[in-house]
Amino acid sequence: MRNGIHPEYQQVLFHDTNADAYFVIGSTIKTKQTREYEGKTYPYVTLDISSASHPFYTGEVRQASNEGRVASFNKRFSRFKR
């Protein structure tokens, strides 16, 4: 392997704000924020969704909007039916 071409690999603190869950994972992401977690200081990244809050992983069923794009289209053009 050549020296000097690889990004720095470090432990990073990820925070899922939706589920208020914290994960320490190795990553090459660059961030200016730091946060202390379990007595150590880590680079800090916030996430909107992760495996702790995504419906596929949690098994949570979410109700889809009844007024989606197809429903609004049908409502708008239903007057043109034959």
Side-chain angles (χ1 to χ4, degrees), residues 67-82:
E67 287 298 316
R69 294 175 68 186
V70 173
S72 63
F73 177 84
N74 289 336
K75 186 168 138 184
R76 196 161 123 204
F77 293 104
S78 64
R79 62 183 169 195
F80 296 116
K81 287 184 179 179
R82 297 179 204 196

Side-chain angles (χ1 to χ4, degrees), residues 1-33:
M1 288 180 28
R2 292 181 16 204
N3 291 332
I5 63 168
H6 301 287
E8 180 186 350
Y9 186 77
Q10 60 189 350
Q11 296 294 315
V12 178
L13 177 65
F14 290 93
H15 178 207
D16 181 354
T17 55
N18 198 12
D20 197 28
Y22 292 90
F23 305 96
V24 177
I25 301 172
S27 178
T28 59
I29 194 167
K30 303 264 189 245
T31 180
K32 294 179 182 177
Q33 295 180 330

Side-chain angles (χ1 to χ4, degrees), residues 40-80:
K40 291 182 71 179
T41 302
Y42 296 101
Y44 178 72
V45 178
T46 58
L47 303 171
D48 293 330
I49 194 161
S50 71
S51 61
S53 61
H54 194 279
F56 180 79
Y57 296 104
T58 61
E60 175 184 317
V61 178
R62 293 187 182 173
Q63 180 64 28
S65 173
N66 290 338
E67 287 298 316
R69 294 175 68 186
V70 173
S72 63
F73 177 84
N74 289 336
K75 186 168 138 184
R76 196 161 123 204
F77 293 104
S78 64
R79 62 183 169 195
F80 296 116

